[in-house]
Amino acid sequence: VVLGPSFLQLIQNQEIIFSSQNRNNFANTNSDNLLFIFMNNNISLSQSDQLSIPLKKTKHKLTTCFFMPPRKNPKKPGRELLVNYDQRFPLIPNFKINYTYYVRFFEPGNTAGNHYHHKKQELFIPIVGNFLVELEDINSKEKEQIKLKQNSYQIMYVDTKIAHRVTALDKNSVLLVLATSTNNDDDEFDYNLD
């Protein structure tokens, strides 16, 4: 079965949680049951496909965080696989990755950001270390702080017109960024989040 755009949109509007005991059982934090949707549409997901769908989707005031399922295969000890992006199951509808980079923070307290974008959207993925991400809606002035932890399998979405500043909490931290457009001075607007 091929998943069409309307079905993918339906998945994106759900707060999806996979059972940690049985990845074939789905539950939803709302009254809707994703397993029911899959069964009624005669859709089954392979174990590999299941790794591309978040265990949990948490909506905050200014952002959405996705918690991805790691693959730990006993036949391949000492490592794990974590899917950061799969175009078949986009975390954010119409989010197309056109630019990726990572930011290295050498000392705790080093920061990046203090700006917002009109066009560029970003996904933040902590690779090494922990981070504090400060957000502010440039229109409503609503503020929020989110901690990103390296072993939480967390991906944070930063939308347009949301000012952001990332502060490393640990030495030699690395943050991976997946973006819809390149770094562009014409789409980077300074914003003081103090």
Side-chain angles (χ1 to χ4, degrees), residues 7 17 39-41 56 81 90 95 97 107 123 126 131-132 142 151 161 166 182 194:
F7 185 76
I17 297 177
M39 288 172 46
N40 281 328
N41 287 282
K56 180 178 164 184
L81 179 138
F95 187 102
I97 296 173
E107 298 293 333
L123 294 172
F131 302 89
L132 176 66
E142 186 170 19
N151 293 322
K161 299 179 185 166
V166 179
T182 62
D194 290 328

Side-chain angles (χ1 to χ4, degrees), residues 117-121 159-161 180-181 184 186-187 189:
H117 310 282
H118 280 289
K119 298 176 184 172
K120 181 177 169 183
Q121 301 169 61
D159 202 354
T160 59
K161 299 179 185 166
T180 57
S181 59
N184 182 337
D186 293 336
D187 188 38
F189 303 93

Side-chain angles (χ1 to χ4, degrees), residues 165-178:
R165 175 173 58 202
V166 179
T167 303
L169 301 177
D170 303 297
K171 189 173 184 162
N172 295 318
S173 297
V174 178
L175 182 73
L176 176 64
V177 180
L178 311 179

